């Protein structure tokens, strides 16, 4: 098949009038190499993978099997444990519904860090409202790291399922998974790890940390939206709490193929990419810090996702800065993946940051296609936007 994807045309189009894209925690552009695989699965391997009476269905089934082997390679797991979903949110819901459904006693005691994604928080809260779960909160410190004393207390009290994110989607904090897994394991708690932001960027190996449920999403790693995976050796759809899955839906073969390719690229290129992006991030951080007096860096300086830069300019309202950058540089005031709602960040609150630091927070996320020129231009634009807001505020005060 002739290539229908022209990589450079795609990259140009993604920038068309929308400015430099620095919001890669929200979503990532699809890598043109992934798009090529998706397109082939749509146009050529279009069979229904559940209809294997003929060759078309069989070919589609093979596409899924190949994708599963590529996902398995990235996180070192058994291909048979991969259950493709419509994304991390669905994978999280299924994991919690399974943990509840398979529990011998209810309510299920769920240990949750206060910095978890709303997909976890909302599902667990709903389960608690229905009397199916009891949430046991684990505090985080000022860098959004799990408070180990708080974790110890909760584990001592007895936890059935411990939910921890491998990396935070706002301030980029990377969790010491190996250590947490060892503590949970010793306390007899099973684990749900939300690796949505971390996968491909942080080493993930299910042989070393055989957690019960691992959660992945394709659109955070340059794959298509609407596809993700729940990786679990115990998951069984017939044990889901509520309506048991009696019918397997037609799989999203193109999406799954794309996720497989995205994982393959992360497996092969993730390490080098992480180093390259970290250097760009550090450059951006240094330029901004030099020109924005009072700028605060939120999150840890070291154990932080390489593409994450979360800053605050106390006293400068973040939404005014983001408004001025509209069409020039795409950054966000917080977790834009939280249903678009403009609400205070529960993560920054849990970190105990002063109110003016929370109100001046800007999340910047670099990515695979970010260039040094992008970084230089974005820095200049951000500095100009902050200066503009500061002068406007000063003008108001002087008036
Ligand atoms: N978990 C984390 C840490 C996330 O960052 C996100 C998305 O922003 C999700 C879960 C939900 O992922 P999805 O968009 O695939 O449902």
């Amino acid at each position: 098949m002739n290539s229908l994807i022209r990589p450079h045309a795609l990259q140009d189009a993604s920038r068309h009038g929308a400015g430099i894209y620095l919001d890669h925690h929200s979503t990532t552009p699809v890598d043109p190499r992934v798009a090529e695989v998706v397109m082939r699965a749509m146009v050529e391997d279009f069979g229904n993978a559940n209809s294997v009476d003929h060759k078309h269905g069989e070919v589609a089934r093979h596409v899924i099997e190949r994708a599963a082997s590529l996902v398995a390679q990235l996180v070192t797991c058994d291909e048979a444990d991969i259950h493709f979903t419509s994304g991390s949110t669905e994978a999280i819901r299924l994991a919690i519904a399974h943990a509840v459904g398979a529990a011998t006693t209810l309510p299920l005691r769920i240990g949750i860090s206060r910095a978890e994604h709303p997909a976890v928080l909302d599902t667990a809260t709903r389960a608690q409202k229905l009397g199916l779960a009891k949430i046991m909160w684990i505090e985080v410190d000022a860098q959004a790291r799990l408070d180990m004393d708080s974790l110890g207390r909760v584990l001592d009290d007895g936890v059935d399922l411990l939910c921890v994110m491998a990396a935070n989607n706002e301030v980029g904090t990377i969790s010491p998974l190996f250590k947490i897994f060892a503590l949970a394991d010793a306390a007899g708690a099973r684990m749900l790890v939300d690796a949505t932001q971390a996968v491909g960027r942080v080493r993930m190996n299910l042989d070393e940390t055989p957690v019960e449920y691992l959660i992945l999403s394709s659109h955070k790693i340059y794959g298509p939206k609407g596809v993700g995976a729940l990786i679990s050796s115990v998951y069984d759809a017939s044990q889901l709490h509520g309506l048991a899955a009696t019918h397997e839906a037609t799989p999203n073969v193109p999406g799954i193929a794309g996720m497989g390719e995205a994982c393959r690229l992360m497996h092969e290129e993730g390490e080098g990419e992480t180093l390259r992006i970290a250097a760009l991030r550090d450059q951006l951080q240094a330029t901004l810090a030099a020109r924005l007096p009072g700028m605060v860096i939120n999150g840890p300086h070291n154990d932080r996702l390489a593409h994450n830069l979360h800053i605050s300019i106390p006293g400068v309202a973040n939404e005014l800065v983001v408004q001025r950058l509209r069409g020039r540089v795409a950054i966000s005031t917080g977790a834009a993946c939280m249903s678009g709602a403009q609400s205070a960040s529960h993560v920054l609150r849990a970190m105990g940051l002063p109110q003016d630091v929370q109100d001046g927070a800007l999340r910047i996320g670099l990515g695979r296609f970010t260039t040094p020129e992008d970084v230089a231009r974005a820095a200049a634009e951000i500095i100009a936007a902050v200066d503009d807001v500061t002068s406007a505020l000063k003008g108001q005060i002087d008036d």
Side-chain angles (χ1 to χ4, degrees), residues 87-89 117 165 169 194 196-197 217 219-220 337:
S88 284
T89 301
H117 190 271
M165 61 204 329
N169 55 301
D194 178 358
T196 307
Q197 295 285 343
S217 181
H219 76 103
K220 309 289 184 178
C337 41

PDB file of all heavy atoms in Angstrom, residues 87-89 117 165 169 194 196-197 217 219-220 337, ligand 1:
ATOM      1  N   GLY A  87      -9.014   2.999  27.007  1.00  0.00           N
ATOM      2  CA  GLY A  87      -8.070   3.966  27.569  1.00  0.00           C
ATOM      3  C   GLY A  87      -7.831   3.651  29.032  1.00  0.00           C
ATOM      4  O   GLY A  87      -8.326   2.630  29.552  1.00  0.00           O
ATOM      5  N   SER A  88      -7.090   4.530  29.698  1.00  0.00           N
ATOM      6  CA  SER A  88      -6.785   4.276  31.116  1.00  0.00           C
ATOM      7  C   SER A  88      -8.023   4.364  31.987  1.00  0.00           C
ATOM      8  O   SER A  88      -8.163   3.607  32.942  1.00  0.00           O
ATOM      9  CB  SER A  88      -5.742   5.271  31.608  1.00  0.00           C
ATOM     10  OG  SER A  88      -4.482   4.912  31.124  1.00  0.00           O
ATOM     11  N   THR A  89      -8.898   5.304  31.686  1.00  0.00           N
ATOM     12  CA  THR A  89     -10.080   5.472  32.546  1.00  0.00           C
ATOM     13  C   THR A  89     -10.871   4.168  32.593  1.00  0.00           C
ATOM     14  O   THR A  89     -11.244   3.693  33.670  1.00  0.00           O
ATOM     15  CB  THR A  89     -10.951   6.636  32.027  1.00  0.00           C
ATOM     16  OG1 THR A  89     -10.143   7.824  32.035  1.00  0.00           O
ATOM     17  CG2 THR A  89     -12.177   6.855  32.897  1.00  0.00           C
ATOM     18  N   HIS A 117      -5.039  10.214  39.963  1.00  0.00           N
ATOM     19  CA  HIS A 117      -5.852  10.815  38.897  1.00  0.00           C
ATOM     20  C   HIS A 117      -7.334  10.662  39.241  1.00  0.00           C
ATOM     21  O   HIS A 117      -7.725   9.670  39.877  1.00  0.00           O
ATOM     22  CB  HIS A 117      -5.540  10.107  37.576  1.00  0.00           C
ATOM     23  CG  HIS A 117      -6.133  10.778  36.384  1.00  0.00           C
ATOM     24  ND1 HIS A 117      -7.396  10.480  35.917  1.00  0.00           N
ATOM     25  CD2 HIS A 117      -5.645  11.741  35.567  1.00  0.00           C
ATOM     26  CE1 HIS A 117      -7.649  11.231  34.856  1.00  0.00           C
ATOM     27  NE2 HIS A 117      -6.595  12.002  34.621  1.00  0.00           N
ATOM     28  N   MET A 165      -0.006   5.871  41.509  1.00  0.00           N
ATOM     29  CA  MET A 165       0.383   6.187  40.127  1.00  0.00           C
ATOM     30  C   MET A 165       1.911   6.083  39.997  1.00  0.00           C
ATOM     31  O   MET A 165       2.647   6.408  40.935  1.00  0.00           O
ATOM     32  CB  MET A 165      -0.151   7.543  39.686  1.00  0.00           C
ATOM     33  CG  MET A 165       0.333   8.700  40.472  1.00  0.00           C
ATOM     34  SD  MET A 165      -0.745  10.190  40.457  1.00  0.00           S
ATOM     35  CE  MET A 165      -1.536  10.203  38.902  1.00  0.00           C
ATOM     36  N   ASN A 169       0.559  13.109  36.857  1.00  0.00           N
ATOM     37  CA  ASN A 169       0.244  13.787  35.597  1.00  0.00           C
ATOM     38  C   ASN A 169       0.298  15.304  35.702  1.00  0.00           C
ATOM     39  O   ASN A 169       0.185  15.995  34.702  1.00  0.00           O
ATOM     40  CB  ASN A 169      -1.144  13.371  35.097  1.00  0.00           C
ATOM     41  CG  ASN A 169      -2.212  13.593  36.134  1.00  0.00           C
ATOM     42  OD1 ASN A 169      -2.149  13.051  37.230  1.00  0.00           O
ATOM     43  ND2 ASN A 169      -3.193  14.410  35.809  1.00  0.00           N
ATOM     44  N   ASP A 194      -1.231   2.947  38.204  1.00  0.00           N
ATOM     45  CA  ASP A 194      -1.622   3.760  37.055  1.00  0.00           C
ATOM     46  C   ASP A 194      -0.334   4.263  36.400  1.00  0.00           C
ATOM     47  O   ASP A 194       0.288   5.219  36.871  1.00  0.00           O
ATOM     48  CB  ASP A 194      -2.502   4.914  37.540  1.00  0.00           C
ATOM     49  CG  ASP A 194      -2.922   5.831  36.407  1.00  0.00           C
ATOM     50  OD1 ASP A 194      -2.495   5.584  35.263  1.00  0.00           O
ATOM     51  OD2 ASP A 194      -3.668   6.789  36.667  1.00  0.00           O
ATOM     52  N   THR A 196      -0.076   5.420  33.364  1.00  0.00           N
ATOM     53  CA  THR A 196      -0.470   6.190  32.167  1.00  0.00           C
ATOM     54  C   THR A 196       0.599   7.182  31.724  1.00  0.00           C
ATOM     55  O   THR A 196       0.908   7.282  30.536  1.00  0.00           O
ATOM     56  CB  THR A 196      -1.783   6.946  32.457  1.00  0.00           C
ATOM     57  OG1 THR A 196      -2.743   6.015  32.926  1.00  0.00           O
ATOM     58  CG2 THR A 196      -2.303   7.654  31.228  1.00  0.00           C
ATOM     59  N   GLN A 197       1.156   7.932  32.666  1.00  0.00           N
ATOM     60  CA  GLN A 197       2.129   8.964  32.288  1.00  0.00           C
ATOM     61  C   GLN A 197       3.557   8.421  32.254  1.00  0.00           C
ATOM     62  O   GLN A 197       4.418   9.000  31.614  1.00  0.00           O
ATOM     63  CB  GLN A 197       2.072  10.127  33.293  1.00  0.00           C
ATOM     64  CG  GLN A 197       0.754  10.884  33.309  1.00  0.00           C
ATOM     65  CD  GLN A 197       0.581  11.812  32.121  1.00  0.00           C
ATOM     66  OE1 GLN A 197       1.545  12.152  31.411  1.00  0.00           O
ATOM     67  NE2 GLN A 197      -0.655  12.247  31.873  1.00  0.00           N
ATOM     68  N   SER A 217      -2.271   3.813  28.731  1.00  0.00           N
ATOM     69  CA  SER A 217      -3.084   4.519  27.735  1.00  0.00           C
ATOM     70  C   SER A 217      -2.226   4.833  26.522  1.00  0.00           C
ATOM     71  O   SER A 217      -1.075   5.253  26.666  1.00  0.00           O
ATOM     72  CB  SER A 217      -3.616   5.820  28.341  1.00  0.00           C
ATOM     73  OG  SER A 217      -4.421   6.489  27.412  1.00  0.00           O
ATOM     74  N   HIS A 219      -2.727   7.177  24.107  1.00  0.00           N
ATOM     75  CA  HIS A 219      -2.591   8.555  23.601  1.00  0.00           C
ATOM     76  C   HIS A 219      -1.593   9.408  24.386  1.00  0.00           C
ATOM     77  O   HIS A 219      -1.350  10.562  24.034  1.00  0.00           O
ATOM     78  CB  HIS A 219      -3.959   9.254  23.489  1.00  0.00           C
ATOM     79  CG  HIS A 219      -4.570   9.711  24.772  1.00  0.00           C
ATOM     80  ND1 HIS A 219      -4.555  11.032  25.155  1.00  0.00           N
ATOM     81  CD2 HIS A 219      -5.246   9.057  25.736  1.00  0.00           C
ATOM     82  CE1 HIS A 219      -5.204  11.163  26.311  1.00  0.00           C
ATOM     83  NE2 HIS A 219      -5.629   9.965  26.681  1.00  0.00           N
ATOM     84  N   LYS A 220      -0.995   8.824  25.429  1.00  0.00           N
ATOM     85  CA  LYS A 220       0.052   9.558  26.148  1.00  0.00           C
ATOM     86  C   LYS A 220       1.431   9.193  25.609  1.00  0.00           C
ATOM     87  O   LYS A 220       2.437   9.745  26.036  1.00  0.00           O
ATOM     88  CB  LYS A 220       0.004   9.229  27.642  1.00  0.00           C
ATOM     89  CG  LYS A 220      -1.351   9.371  28.293  1.00  0.00           C
ATOM     90  CD  LYS A 220      -1.805  10.799  28.442  1.00  0.00           C
ATOM     91  CE  LYS A 220      -3.133  10.842  29.193  1.00  0.00           C
ATOM     92  NZ  LYS A 220      -3.618  12.187  29.419  1.00  0.00           N
ATOM     93  N   CYS A 337      -6.672  17.019  31.354  1.00  0.00           N
ATOM     94  CA  CYS A 337      -7.360  15.774  31.029  1.00  0.00           C
ATOM     95  C   CYS A 337      -8.476  15.503  32.012  1.00  0.00           C
ATOM     96  O   CYS A 337      -9.167  14.511  31.939  1.00  0.00           O
ATOM     97  CB  CYS A 337      -6.368  14.618  31.031  1.00  0.00           C
ATOM     98  SG  CYS A 337      -5.187  14.686  32.368  1.00  0.00           S
TER      99      CYS A 337
HETATM  100  N1  LIG B   1      -4.360   8.360  34.681  1.00  0.00           N
HETATM  101  C1  LIG B   1      -3.498   9.360  34.479  1.00  0.00           C
HETATM  102  C2  LIG B   1      -2.297   9.499  35.369  1.00  0.00           C
HETATM  103  C3  LIG B   1      -3.707  10.262  33.441  1.00  0.00           C
HETATM  104  O1  LIG B   1      -2.849  11.252  33.239  1.00  0.00           O
HETATM  105  C4  LIG B   1      -4.860  10.090  32.614  1.00  0.00           C
HETATM  106  C5  LIG B   1      -5.165  11.041  31.539  1.00  0.00           C
HETATM  107  O2  LIG B   1      -4.920  12.148  31.543  1.00  0.00           O
HETATM  108  C6  LIG B   1      -5.715   9.021  32.863  1.00  0.00           C
HETATM  109  C7  LIG B   1      -5.439   8.173  33.897  1.00  0.00           C
HETATM  110  C8  LIG B   1      -6.906   8.763  31.971  1.00  0.00           C
HETATM  111  O3  LIG B   1      -6.435   8.304  30.727  1.00  0.00           O
HETATM  112  P1  LIG B   1      -7.376   8.135  29.448  1.00  0.00           P
HETATM  113  O4  LIG B   1      -7.435   9.476  28.805  1.00  0.00           O
HETATM  114  O5  LIG B   1      -6.685   7.120  28.596  1.00  0.00           O
HETATM  115  O6  LIG B   1      -8.694   7.654  29.908  1.00  0.00           O
END
